[in-house]
Amino acid sequence: MTGEPMVKAEGVHKSYGAAHILRGIDLEVRNGEVFCLVGPSGSGKSTFLRCINHLERIDAGRLSVDGHLVGYRQKGDKLYELKDSEVALQRRDIGMVFQRFNLFPHMTALGNVMEAPIQVKGESKAVARERAERLLDRVGLRDKTGNYPSQLSGGQQQRVAIARALAMEPKLMLFDEPTSALDPELVGDVLDVMRDLAESGMTMVVVTHEMGFAREVGDSLVFMDGGVVVESGNPRDVLGNPQHDRTKAFLSKVL
């Protein structure tokens, strides 16, 4: 975990009309780190995650991934927004897994994982298929390659979604509460896949309510509330001995 940070946010602001959602976020995610964002609903966690790959435009500040500004280029003192095609190129390196699985319902698990490398990278079907089969095996779904999303449980669909994001061979993975839409007994399988990813050295930013996962797997943890970073540090320290009253109040409800 050395060198240039994988994600660097400097004074990031985001508003929707009069609602000021992010109020000057400063943070760094190091290469190879599992970085967990926790906090109450409406605190800005998911909005910040979506800003990292320019699904949301920031209103002020700077946000860079692997040393490159996200969604903008700098000329002199000014930032100019990139064209959609240029943003799409940046997104190829950033995998994202949403709360809802967003799988193509008319494609099998295998088809869902093969699609982006063929369409976006121009890979041959043979190469894409070989990788897709390997990734579905990695997430424990070797026997489900021919199943359609409607034939899979929520947890299985989410594991297909993770395999689909990995198929683009990203340098950064973003997880937006990946287990919150799942039945409790299905959560463990998805977290196991994320643990395996962490052990392989993947840089991950995870918005989560799974405090056990954050404590066990996370390298850094940020508690957000009201669009600001209230407290940050080693997950075991923040969760075990929070320093800020707002963090204590939140954790007393969720731990």
Side-chain angles (χ1 to χ4, degrees):
M1 291 194 241
T2 55
E4 185 84 39
M6 180 58 80
V7 179
K8 185 171 186 178
E10 304 169 88
V12 170
H13 287 257
K14 173 68 184 174
S15 297
Y16 299 105
H20 199 166
I21 307 298
L22 300 176
R23 299 168 176 265
I25 301 291
D26 293 295
L27 56 80
E28 289 189 2
V29 180
R30 295 177 314 232
N31 206 353
E33 183 172 40
V34 178
F35 191 97
C36 296
L37 288 167
V38 304
S41 294
S43 58
K45 310 179 300 294
S46 293
T47 298
F48 177 70
L49 200 72
R50 292 169 67 85
C51 290
I52 293 175
N53 64 357
H54 206 60
L55 285 174
E56 301 285 356
R57 292 173 174 83
I58 64 175
D59 297 322
R62 296 164 65 91
L63 193 48
S64 55
V65 171
D66 203 19
H68 300 284
L69 282 173
V70 175
Y72 297 90
R73 73 168 149 267
Q74 184 160 0
K75 207 169 176 185
D77 295 337
K78 288 198 168 158
L79 295 182
Y80 296 90
E81 189 161 16
L82 297 178
K83 295 184 195 140
D84 288 347
S85 58
E86 295 170 299
V87 174
L89 271 177
Q90 288 188 325
R91 281 202 197 114
R92 285 168 52 158
D93 292 327
I94 305 172
M96 184 148 185
V97 178
F98 299 88
Q99 248 175 324
R100 300 285 168 190
F101 325 120
N102 297 347
L103 298 178
F104 296 117
H106 62 289
M107 289 184 183
T108 62
L110 189 69
N112 267 282
V113 180
M114 289 172 60
E115 180 72 359
I118 292 170
Q119 297 299 333
V120 179
K121 284 188 169 179
E123 279 186 0
S124 72
K125 282 192 175 172
V127 169
R129 172 183 281 271
E130 190 275 328
R131 185 191 299 108
E133 288 174 343
R134 190 173 73 244
L135 287 169
L136 286 168
D137 186 26
R138 182 177 179 182
V139 300
L141 294 172
R142 176 190 288 185
D143 59 339
K144 302 291 185 187
T145 56
N147 288 48
Y148 290 89
S150 61
Q151 299 169 312
L152 300 172
S153 72
Q156 289 167 338
Q157 289 185 61
Q158 192 61 294
R159 285 184 278 153
V160 173
I162 293 172
R164 179 179 62 179
L166 291 173
M168 289 294 285
E169 301 183 313
K171 55 180 132 180
L172 170 66
M173 284 283 283
L174 309 176
F175 292 88
D176 188 8
E177 299 188 18
T179 59
S180 65
L182 302 179
D183 292 332
E185 69 269 21
L186 302 176
V187 167
D189 291 338
V190 172
L191 293 180
D192 285 344
V193 169
M194 293 171 66
R195 272 189 201 93
D196 171 63
L197 265 185
E199 285 166 12
S200 74
M202 174 63 76
T203 311
M204 298 159 61
V205 182
V206 185
V207 173
T208 186
H209 293 296
E210 301 289 342
M211 299 302 160
F213 174 86
R215 183 188 287 114
E216 177 196 339
V217 182
D219 297 300
S220 296
L221 181 140
V222 157
F223 170 68
M224 283 178 66
D225 190 30
V228 300
V229 173
V230 176
E231 190 164 340
S232 62
N234 180 293
R236 287 153 293 286
D237 296 339
V238 176
L239 296 174
N241 185 26
Q243 299 301 302
H244 195 285
D245 287 343
R246 185 67 196 89
T247 320
K248 291 175 187 171
F250 172 74
L251 292 176
S252 71
K253 294 187 180 80
V254 298
L255 289 178

